[in-house]
Amino acid sequence: MFVLTIVLALLLAGFTLRFGTTGLQRLLDHRFAWAWAPPLAALAQVVGVCVPALRQPALLTTIALLMAFCYANRAQRGLLIAGCGAALNMIVMFANGGLMPVSPDQVLASHGVPVVAGVQVPLSKNIALYDDQAVLAFLGDRIVLPGLHHVAIWSLGDFVLIAGVTLFLFSTMRGSHHATLRSALAD
Amino acid sequence: MSRKTVARVIAVVGVVLALMLAGGAPDDFGIRSIAPMVGGS
């Protein structure tokens, strides 16, 4: 979770540098439909992590809330793409008992932490599983970025999610062509 | 920055962050802080 917060902070900083305070203001003026759904989905994930008995219901709740949010905001293509990324993660987690599989070998190589296969990483969404033990292992956490191997192990869904959020922030902070024209004409 | 602006920042950025935290699942460097609990060989 730390790394996603940092990614968002970097994206916001980068686009603010690119588009200035006008871009930031455009983002602040954006109105989400169903804005309460993502915080509730995040809360459901916390419940799923803290109460193992509720893991699958919490995951289903998360999926439903995130998909509803992305559909309600489908005018923003970035949010639709982000929803697809979240769905990829949720599908593989649901197929693995509500947990995201990560290879013990990659955890050792990336973080220097030895983990036993089958062990759930405490207070996280991850479970250590080799590829032949996991369902849909190709959608699990298995991608390590060169030079950033010690930071995180990513899934395909994580990249699609970040790409969607990046597109949303870019298109919102840049403003539409029509808005730019209106602004120019007003000046 | 006015209170209203701060509230708006929290509202907008909070929704995007919640979307990322709920939908994303990277195994990140937070794992090292709980390494003693993980066990292993």
Side-chain angles (χ1 to χ4, degrees):
Chain A
M1 76 182 266
F2 302 106
V3 75
L4 286 173
T5 307
I6 292 169
V7 167
L8 178 59
L10 290 175
L11 286 173
L12 282 171
F15 288 138
T16 301
L17 283 174
R18 173 71 180 80
F19 300 115
T21 52
T22 309
L24 200 56
Q25 191 59 51
R26 286 193 189 109
L27 180 66
L28 298 186
D29 289 340
H30 184 79
R31 294 291 185 272
F32 293 105
W34 287 44
W36 48 269
L40 212 56
L43 187 65
Q45 284 288 288
V46 173
V47 171
V49 167
C50 296
V51 187
L54 295 177
R55 195 182 297 141
Q56 290 286 42
L59 191 62
L60 287 174
T61 304
T62 302
I63 294 172
L65 287 169
L66 290 184
M67 294 305 105
F69 172 78
C70 292
Y71 182 75
N73 293 277
R74 61 190 176 282
Q76 288 285 340
R77 281 186 201 164
L79 293 180
L80 267 185
I81 294 170
C84 291
L88 290 176
N89 283 336
M90 299 295 120
I91 287 169
V92 65
M93 287 173 72
F94 189 74
N96 288 279
L99 295 166
M100 176 60 91
V102 58
S103 165
D105 289 339
Q106 285 192 321
V107 173
L108 182 61
S110 296
H111 303 308
V113 177
V115 287
V116 177
V119 168
Q120 182 194 347
V121 181
L123 300 178
S124 87
K125 301 176 185 178
N126 287 104
I127 183 169
L129 288 175
Y130 290 106
D131 283 359
D132 58 351
Q133 299 172 312
V135 182
L136 299 172
F138 69 99
L139 289 178
D141 283 343
R142 57 190 295 121
I143 304 168
V144 178
L145 295 178
L148 294 172
H149 66 278
H150 57 289
V151 172
I153 306 171
W154 307 84
S155 68
L156 181 63
D158 292 330
F159 282 115
V160 176
L161 173 74
I162 291 171
V165 169
T166 303
L167 177 60
F168 164 72
L169 292 175
F170 175 80
S171 59
T172 304
M173 294 179 76
R174 180 192 59 177
S176 70
H177 180 62
H178 295 296
T180 308
L181 271 181
R182 274 198 302 273
S183 172
L185 287 172
D187 291 341
Chain B
M1 195 181 278
S2 70
R3 279 186 190 177
K4 191 178 173 185
T5 306
V6 172
R8 194 71 209 132
V9 170
I10 292 170
V12 174
V13 176
V15 169
V16 179
L17 182 60
L19 171 67
M20 292 179 81
L21 294 183
D27 166 85
D28 66 19
F29 48 29
I31 195 172
R32 277 181 293 185
S33 64
I34 54 170
M37 299 163 66
V38 179
S41 54

